[in-house]
Amino acid sequence: MKCVAARLMIAVGMLAGTLLPSQAATLNTMADVGAAIQACWTPPADAGNSTVTLSFSFKRDGTLIGPPRATAVKVAGDDKARQAFIDAATAAVKNCTPLTFSPTLAQGIGGKVFTLQLVSPKQLQSVSPK
């Protein structure tokens, strides 16, 4: 089975004022999907240089197939700080869904596993299908 590989790197400055969940804009590309989710990301204030990578899948209608799952975590601080960072990251994905996909994007997105790395402070993030 061929995997369609797409990697998206988004700088925080590019995200300011972009898609918000309430706007319900039609997303045409994975760059649009990444921007929409990144716009919802608010890292905890005391997270230092922490990162979490989440895996998740969409249905064609833009809803999630199950909850996002942390697959890699590097968090400054104790277990409470670690959990707060993971919770903030999963909330960003959950709060931004459902997303509105264009018919073309919806046709190819359903059921594919995506990974999204969220970084604190918000410097550079990526999203890609596995």
Side-chain angles (χ1 to χ4, degrees):
M1 177 176 170
K2 287 186 177 182
C3 291
V4 177
R7 186 164 288 274
L8 170 66
M9 301 301 273
I10 301 172
V12 172
M14 294 170 45
L15 296 175
T18 60
L19 303 173
L20 296 175
S22 61
Q23 290 177 317
T26 299
L27 306 176
N28 297 303
T29 66
M30 285 310 300
D32 293 344
V33 173
I37 294 171
Q38 295 292 349
C40 293
W41 169 233
T42 303
D46 58 349
N49 290 321
S50 300
T51 64
V52 62
T53 302
L54 301 177
S55 292
F56 53 93
S57 298
F58 292 105
K59 296 179 186 177
R60 289 182 181 183
D61 67 2
T63 59
L64 290 172
I65 299 173
R69 184 174 54 92
T71 57
V73 181
K74 179 184 169 202
V75 175
D78 59 12
D79 287 341
K80 186 176 178 180
R82 180 181 191 275
Q83 191 59 52
F85 195 82
I86 293 169
D87 290 347
T90 57
V93 176
K94 289 179 181 180
N95 292 340
C96 277
T97 55
L99 297 174
T100 304
F101 300 137
S102 69
T104 303
L105 184 59
Q107 188 173 22
I109 206 167
K112 292 203 170 140
V113 177
F114 291 90
T115 59
L116 173 69
Q117 184 180 52
L118 297 158
V119 178
S120 179
K122 287 173 89 172
Q123 293 173 355
L124 197 59
Q125 297 86 21
S126 65
V127 63
S128 66
K130 280 189 176 177

